[in-house]
Amino acid sequence: ETGVTQTPRHLVMGMTNKKSLKCEQHLGHNAMYWYKQSAKKPLELMFVYSLEERVENNSVPSRFSPECPNSSHLFLHLHTLQPEDSALYLCASSQVRGRASTDTQYFGPGTRLTVL
Amino acid sequence: AQKITQTQPGMFVQEKEAVTLDCTYDTSDQSYGLFWYKQPSSGEMIFLIYQGSYDEQNATEGRYSLNFQKARKSANLVISASQLGDSAMYFCAMREGGLTGGGNKLTFGTGTQLKVEL
């Protein structure tokens, strides 16, 4: 496999469920990102992990809990979500070489989440 | 104020013609980067082209070129010889500086939906 993969591609869950989104990158990168894309809104950065340490939490509610066990895998654990959390969740990775590096982010196909 | 502005919610172009998608940005940083991504209906964000703030030449990648006008703070994407497969949502994004612990933050515009017609 190449690039960035995400599973599942589609997820429907109730507000009381607990589920996890998985992201895996096969690019040898050292930074990973979670984004939320809601209808009619720009992409919103949620979390950034660099060298497996969380370096950014963009004021995301605690019902979203990220986990980065190694540089290739990133999870987003979901619990007691609200209907307004329904969105496309995109994972990305990049190779950080320095603060002014190009640092192009490469994205996965996303998980389309529906909260009932 | 929005950092990335894409004023064209939708655009139509005929196959084989060129099309320009507009993007203006707002930053006080001297060092920044500008990106364009394509998002087909399948959802994946596909990286197209990058322009660094210190790059003197406009970036080009195959049929994509970036018309970078620094003084006007614009970074328009030009797609030459449009193809049916170019129909998608196109996003302009900006990176300013970097995060202390590593990684970068991208700020995205609201996107332009491009439809290529026969």
Side-chain angles (χ1 to χ4, degrees), chain B residues 20 23 36 51 58-59 65-69 74-78:
Chain B
T20 298
C23 173
W36 277 93
Q51 179 85 40
N58 285 343
S65 60
L66 201 151
N67 184 0
F68 181 48
Q69 297 189 43
S74 76
N76 298 340
L77 176 70
V78 180

Side-chain angles (χ1 to χ4, degrees), chain B residues 27-46:
Chain B
T27 181
S28 55
D29 283 6
Q30 295 301 308
S31 175
Y32 53 90
L34 296 155
F35 300 80
W36 277 93
Y37 286 87
K38 170 185 178 182
Q39 188 178 40
S41 55
S42 58
E44 182 176 1
M45 290 284 242
I46 301 167

Side-chain angles (χ1 to χ4, degrees), chain B residues 98-115:
Chain B
L99 296 168
T100 302
N104 283 285
K105 291 177 73 168
L106 287 182
T107 303
F108 283 80
T110 51
T112 295
Q113 181 71 49
L114 176 67
K115 177 93 167 122

Side-chain angles (χ1 to χ4, degrees), chain B residues 3 19 50 56 68 74-75 77 86 103 117:
Chain B
K3 290 200 168 189
V19 63
Y50 167 81
E56 294 184 355
F68 181 48
S74 76
L77 176 70
D86 294 335
E117 300 174 315

Side-chain angles (χ1 to χ4, degrees), chain B residues 60-103:
Chain B
T60 59
E61 286 286 348
R63 293 186 299 110
Y64 304 108
S65 60
L66 201 151
N67 184 0
F68 181 48
Q69 297 189 43
K70 196 169 181 177
R72 294 174 127 187
K73 292 189 175 177
S74 76
N76 298 340
L77 176 70
V78 180
I79 305 175
S80 62
S82 298
Q83 302 171 356
L84 294 177
D86 294 335
S87 295
M89 196 76 166
Y90 288 81
F91 290 94
C92 179
M94 177 171 64
R95 169 192 51 78
E96 297 170 281
L99 296 168
T100 302

